[in-house]
Amino acid sequence: MKRETVEVDVLIVGGGPAGISAALHLAQLQKSRGGTPLAITVLEKSRDSGSHMLSGAVFDPSALHHLLPDFESLGAPLGPAVHEDRLLFLTEKRALRFPFTPPPLKNHGCYIISLNRFVKWLAEQAESSGVDVINGFAATEVLYDGDRVVGVRTGDRGVDRGGERKLTFEPGVDIRAAVTIFADGVRGNLSKTVLRRFQLDAASQPQSYALGFKELWEVPAGRVTPGTVMHTLGYPLRSEEFGGGFIYGLAPDRVSLGFVTGLDYQDPLFDPHMTFQRLKCHPLLSGLLAGGQLLRYGAKALPEGGWNTVPQCYIDGALLVGDAVGFLNSLRLKGIHLAMWTGIYAAQVALDAVLASDPSAVRLQAFQTLVDDGPVRREMYPVRNVHQGFRHGLIAGLAFAGLSLLTRGWWFRDPVPNLIGHKRMQTMAVYHGLDGPDRNSIKVPVDRKLTFDRLTNVHFSGTRHEEDQPGHLLVHDLDICRTRCREEYANPCLRFCPANVYEMVEVGDDLRLQINASNCVHCKACDIIDPYQIIDWVPPEGGGGPQYDGM
């Protein structure tokens, strides 16, 4: 097949905070140094900049101050400044406020933002600086020259679900670059293959992940003052389950709320989506949302492992940045600014490599020096073992988190061992006994006013895919689903997926797995926690996925 080849100086795969920051800073640096303008391209799979962006989001503007000091005059779409922090412990009926707010959860100087709008605005700043931002094209393959990354290939378009070319068929394009920056997000389809091929995580702890849900609501004015930030612990989670909820006041009549839980739970029947619905039934949230209306829904995985899980981020011809390699502070519940810092550092190193015509790993290793000597390590290193402490339950985790503030993360065993999340899930026989529990007892009534089923929530995510295309959720052994997984784990994909992608349907006297790929909100949970690791998430045809307007 003949493919068009495009040559650029720097290619950035992923148009989130890390990728766009890298592109914008590259353009700024190149302009300040003069000379021939660089060809800088951002390749983003969503149909519009920011469409796939989802976060709580309380935003630390430190990296933005560095990147665009005049961001206010440029019209940065920042929401209200945080003026009040509350940390609450929930029982089934009550909300108990902590007598003080731990320093990591004090958000003075931060803003509540829509990450969707912020990234869209940031992309506009990059384009006005000469960066080519290409939306609606998914990178599906890394191009190599030996062991050096030389670019990526975009996916073919116009292929039907049987793999045959339609009349609209267009072959993918090879985009070759002196330096490629992978900023493709949590469990990125290309960054994960690069990590495996070069064993970049061989010297680091295995990454830990969480799954976050978010809903945007319109409520009667005055329920929550804009700039109010509330975080919750406890109900409806059991002590052994990591996570909590959040409520952020965006406007007098607008709140965002959500729930985050670790993708390292032991109970095979644990249902993150149902647990989120149960959280909304708590009097604190049900009273807040009474008479309100759901506007948007979304879900996304988060890298929660901390500093000790960050792999080597440089190889010949390429750098890896942002959530793709775990730059997130789970104690502060923030990663946007860290992603931006790593994008800024990648830009500096990539520019030097291009100008020196030397994209070797030896030169690109300067990225690690910048990370180690700057605010990223200063923030992440002292809390490097915090997430691992919650493996022993909520009380032990809180105690260890508090101790870490005094010891800067030191412990008798450092790093604290970290078990891969999917290996913690126990079988039905081990966790529940041979008979198992009454599964109906864990369900929450769905009224579509306060609580919602998965399919209704998917509608509110704006998700859209071309129906007649190859499946992008690859299950490599379907026989396991109807036999071993059904018997050993009761098919946990029916519960850990927040979008009703996976269903077991009757076929004669047997059951088989049905994959409703068009529902997928690109959260990556299935790729992460499937106990057999037989699910591989790859991008659908470019432009498909959620539309997180205002999220």
Side-chain angles (χ1 to χ4, degrees), residues 83-158:
H83 71 85
E84 182 182 4
D85 290 293
R86 301 182 205 169
L87 180 60
L88 306 169
F89 182 83
L90 303 186
T91 65
E92 188 172 354
K93 299 296 183 182
R94 300 184 63 193
L96 308 175
R97 184 170 181 177
F98 279 62
F100 65 94
T101 300
L105 293 180
K106 291 181 178 179
N107 293 294
H108 178 74
C110 295
Y111 298 87
I112 303 174
I113 69 169
S114 158
L115 185 59
N116 158 261
R117 292 174 180 166
F118 177 72
V119 168
K120 184 176 182 179
W121 171 82
L122 207 59
E124 291 170 355
Q125 308 310 304
E127 288 183 296
S128 67
S129 298
V131 174
D132 290 324
V133 179
I134 303 175
N135 290 109
F137 287 84
T140 58
E141 184 179 343
V142 182
L143 302 178
Y144 297 97
D145 182 359
D147 281 337
R148 181 167 71 91
V149 173
V150 295
V152 303
R153 175 170 294 166
T154 66
D156 296 339
R157 301 164 73 91

Side-chain angles (χ1 to χ4, degrees), residues 41-112:
T41 295
V42 176
L43 193 64
E44 166 56 37
K45 64 183 175 66
S46 65
R47 48 189 175 268
D48 302 301
S49 291
S51 291
H52 292 178
M53 295 296 107
L54 183 70
S55 180
V58 176
F59 175 57
D60 177 340
S62 56
L64 182 60
H65 278 288
H66 181 86
L67 184 65
L68 290 169
D70 54 346
F71 64 86
E72 291 183 349
S73 64
L74 291 171
L78 304 183
V82 177
H83 71 85
E84 182 182 4
D85 290 293
R86 301 182 205 169
L87 180 60
L88 306 169
F89 182 83
L90 303 186
T91 65
E92 188 172 354
K93 299 296 183 182
R94 300 184 63 193
L96 308 175
R97 184 170 181 177
F98 279 62
F100 65 94
T101 300
L105 293 180
K106 291 181 178 179
N107 293 294
H108 178 74
C110 295
Y111 298 87
I112 303 174

